[in-house]
Amino acid sequence: MGHLIDIQHLKKHFGKLAVLNDVEFHLDKGEVVTIIGSSGSGKSTLLRCINLLEMPDAGAIYYEGKDVLQGEIDVNQHRTHIGMVFQNFNLFNNKNVIENCMIGQMKVLKRSKKEAEEKALFYLDKVGMKDFAYAGSMQLSGGQKQRVAIARALCMDPKVLLFDEPTSALDPEMVGDVLNVMKDLAKEGLTMIVVTHEMQFAKEVSTRVVFMEQGVIAEQGTSEEIFGNPKTESLQRFLSRYRNQQN
Amino acid sequence: MQFIETAWGIFTKYSILFFSGVKITLLLAITGTVFGLMIGLVVGAIRAISLEPRSSKFSRICKKVIDWVLTVYIEFFRGTPMMVQSFFMYYGLKSIGLNWTPIVAGIVIISINTGAYMAEIVRSGIQAVDKGQTEGARSVGMSHLQTMFYIIIPQAIRNSFPSIINEFIVNIKDSSVLNVIAVNDLYFQGSSVAGSVFKYTETFFVVAMIYLCLTYPTSKILGYIEKRMANTTGKVGA
């Protein structure tokens, strides 16, 4: 049967640098896929191609069986199905917390103000930020911002949620809060792709771990396979570097 | 003291003329700044568009042509004196049959002139907004226009607020050049008073003081707002 997302022969260059070099990847409903790999391996670019923030140079991205790179697809419509959480939060600075969660619902999904507000409060409650609903978005700490950003994405009822290194810009003591929210979402069966450097998190929540190296997927499998029995030499090296850092 | 007394005498005697001049000057400065800002927002927003890689060749060519036209507009109106522009436009358009009054012509000219400056102010304001704001908006499915309208432009106006008010101050003063097409603003009234009492120094001292009374409070208010904005940065909507 068809995958929810099916990526074939995806290529992306930045100038002469090949960031994605013939990537094959697929995602099924309910999966929690973490993508690991060293910086510059193409993890974030792959993620950004999936919701078309980055346009690939070649290849195909099928979403529910339709190639989103072919002309007829409405990019904005596509992005409502695929939510995104950024490393730097990207909350709207001119909006308060609840407005951040409402504007997309009202302007893109054309929901009524009341419906948007209810939904926003529901998800803000879920990420533990309901008390801050009317605070300015720039008054929040990094961890709080990121939880609001997750609520903002959830408000659009996405089929898939993409996380681009969601904890990399956070102070260490904030990381736990955000990861806990993500763990809850994973438990509830939300389909997620998470680019991360948090190996412990990847180990705990992933239904599948993908290791990228030099613009291709070098190895993938369950977290037991990837962390317990890495096959490729590059993954072994990558993991041992991580262990050394932690000791 | 004699000088001040004479000036005061001129002021009280001709205050009706001076005040009618002030009204016209403020009318020009306010409408010029407001319409100029509107023009600037549209032009600046168009110039700040960067086309997506997959947009068609046709839209690329359109964008290039529009950009070129807008650049010509901005460079022409920023690169020539407003006095020359007003002669050129007022008499030029009159000669091809547009029968407009000096005051209407004045408002149009100062608006178009201010628009050229505002366009650059708005454009740099837009470019100063963090790219992440656009990505955040696009990621929830907002179109380019929605992103501009709801997210980017409000922040750009906020960023460039001091420059926008500064344009207003400039307009209070520079509207005086419109006297060349017989717009009866403060300067125009001043020179006719000076001509009839034959005391140029005293009269223009009065005129200068009145201009100062218009600009100084404005720049004080601006300073106050800027200070408040600096203190409350990030508390928008709170």
Side-chain angles (χ1 to χ4, degrees):
Chain A
M1 262 309 287
H3 300 290
L4 182 60
I5 293 177
D6 192 353
I7 292 177
Q8 295 175 357
H9 303 294
L10 201 70
K11 289 182 186 165
K12 175 74 185 175
H13 297 255
F14 287 127
K16 281 197 174 148
L17 184 72
V19 186
L20 294 180
N21 211 343
D22 214 354
V23 171
E24 303 272 321
F25 174 82
H26 59 81
L27 180 80
D28 289 317
K29 198 165 174 291
E31 277 194 295
V32 177
V33 175
T34 50
I35 306 180
I36 59 173
S38 32
S39 332
S41 58
K43 313 180 295 281
S44 292
T45 308
L46 174 60
L47 209 63
R48 291 165 60 83
C49 282
I50 293 175
N51 76 346
L52 304 177
L53 279 179
E54 217 69 76
M55 277 308 203
D57 299 325
I61 300 174
Y62 293 95
Y63 173 77
E64 289 185 328
K66 276 180 226 135
D67 187 351
V68 296
L69 298 178
Q70 296 309 316
E72 298 310 303
I73 300 285
D74 180 349
V75 178
N76 298 326
Q77 200 59 40
H78 176 65
R79 288 186 183 129
T80 64
H81 301 309
I82 301 193
M84 177 106 173
V85 173
F86 299 87
Q87 182 175 349
N88 294 317
F89 331 122
N90 294 351
L91 291 183
F92 307 134
N93 294 334
N94 59 327
K95 305 266 172 222
N96 68 18
V97 166
I98 194 164
E99 287 166 349
N100 261 277
C101 300
M102 287 167 64
I103 187 159
Q105 297 188 66
M106 288 162 64
K107 301 302 172 193
V108 182
L109 302 178
K110 311 289 180 202
R111 286 182 184 148
S112 71
K113 191 174 174 196
K114 189 162 165 284
E115 195 186 355
E117 196 167 9
E118 276 167 16
K119 194 136 212 154
L121 286 170
F122 174 79
Y123 281 113
L124 285 172
D125 191 28
K126 199 180 184 85
V127 300
M129 288 298 293
K130 198 179 179 182
D131 293 343
F132 293 86
Y134 298 95
S137 55
M138 292 177 81
Q139 288 170 293
L140 308 177
S141 72
Q144 292 172 327
K145 281 183 188 175
Q146 196 60 300
R147 284 185 282 153
V148 172
I150 293 172
R152 175 176 74 181
L154 289 171
C155 281
M156 304 300 287
D157 296 322
K159 300 272 172 54
V160 185
L161 199 45
L162 311 176
F163 293 83
D164 189 4
E165 304 196 21
T167 58
S168 298
L170 299 179
D171 293 333
E173 68 265 27
M174 310 270 179
V175 171
D177 291 343
V178 172
L179 291 183
N180 284 336
V181 168
M182 292 168 64
K183 280 178 199 165
D184 289 344
L185 294 175
K187 263 185 226 144
E188 286 169 26
L190 181 72
T191 312
M192 295 160 54
I193 307 177
V194 185
V195 168
T196 188
H197 292 290
E198 297 287 335
M199 293 304 148
Q200 194 54 42
F201 172 80
K203 218 181 261 185
E204 279 175 43
V205 303
S206 313
T207 57
R208 179 156 53 108
V209 180
V210 169
F211 171 65
M212 285 189 73
E213 174 79 12
Q214 296 185 339
V216 290
I217 292 176
E219 192 169 340
Q220 55 179 314
T222 63
S223 54
E224 290 83 20
E225 287 167 345
I226 293 292
F227 293 106
N229 185 21
K231 292 189 191 64
T232 56
E233 204 187 311
S234 53
L235 177 55
Q236 289 163 3
R237 247 185 292 130
F238 176 76
L239 290 174
S240 73
R241 256 207 317 275
Y242 256 93
R243 285 191 196 105
N244 291 340
Q245 273 173 17
Q246 279 173 2
N247 293 337
Chain B
M1 277 330 281
Q2 181 64 44
F3 178 81
I4 301 287
E5 267 167 40
T6 316
W8 182 252
I10 293 170
F11 174 68
T12 47
K13 189 169 174 204
Y14 293 98
S15 59
I16 292 173
L17 283 184
F18 287 126
F19 279 118
S20 84
V22 166
K23 265 192 253 162
I24 298 295
T25 293
L26 283 179
L27 174 74
L28 289 168
I30 291 169
T31 52
T33 310
V34 171
F35 291 137
L37 179 59
M38 291 197 239
I39 296 172
L41 283 174
V42 174
V43 175
I46 293 174
R47 273 162 60 90
I49 292 175
S50 54
L51 286 179
E52 287 174 48
R54 76 191 229 171
S55 42
S56 67
K57 194 156 189 190
F58 176 71
S59 46
R60 254 161 231 291
I61 293 171
C62 281
K63 168 83 170 116
K64 266 227 169 95
V65 172
I66 292 170
D67 273 353
W68 185 82
V69 172
L70 295 180
T71 308
V72 169
Y73 159 62
I74 290 170
E75 294 305 327
F76 178 79
F77 281 94
R78 296 197 330 155
T80 58
M82 189 157 75
M83 193 186 281
V84 176
Q85 292 160 19
S86 34
F87 270 127
F88 177 71
M89 287 177 61
Y90 179 62
Y91 294 109
L93 290 176
K94 223 170 187 184
S95 72
I96 58 169
L98 179 67
N99 194 12
W100 53 354
T101 59
I103 185 71
V104 172
I107 289 171
V108 169
I109 290 159
I110 199 169
S111 300
I112 295 176
N113 181 281
T114 308
Y117 286 91
M118 289 288 193
E120 285 300 275
I121 291 170
V122 169
R123 188 171 66 125
S124 66
I126 288 173
Q127 282 166 345
V129 176
D130 175 27
K131 241 188 108 215
Q133 296 288 306
T134 307
E135 295 204 332
R138 301 312 296 270
S139 78
V140 295
M142 287 163 89
S143 66
H144 179 89
L145 268 180
Q146 287 175 326
T147 304
M148 271 290 163
F149 196 75
Y150 297 114
I151 306 298
I152 307 300
I153 288 185
Q155 294 184 48
I157 290 181
R158 195 186 155 87
N159 289 346
S160 34
F161 185 76
S163 314
I164 291 168
I165 296 300
N166 198 46
E167 277 303 305
F168 176 62
I169 295 173
V170 167
N171 278 343
I172 291 175
K173 297 182 292 171
D174 285 7
S175 54
S176 62
V177 306
L178 293 168
N179 80 87
V180 298
I181 56 169
V183 173
N184 49 358
D185 72 328
L186 178 57
Y187 171 85
F188 184 92
Q189 300 293 11
S191 38
S192 47
V193 170
S196 57
V197 298
F198 226 71
K199 289 201 168 91
Y200 281 85
T201 318
E202 289 86 348
T203 310
F204 280 103
F205 176 72
V206 170
V207 171
M209 286 302 121
I210 297 175
Y211 272 116
L212 206 55
C213 287
L214 299 178
T215 54
Y216 185 70
T218 313
S219 69
K220 275 285 144 195
I221 292 168
L222 169 64
Y224 173 73
I225 294 173
E226 265 184 86
K227 221 188 238 164
R228 273 200 48 162
M229 273 170 60
N231 289 338
T232 58
T233 295
K235 292 190 186 165
V236 194

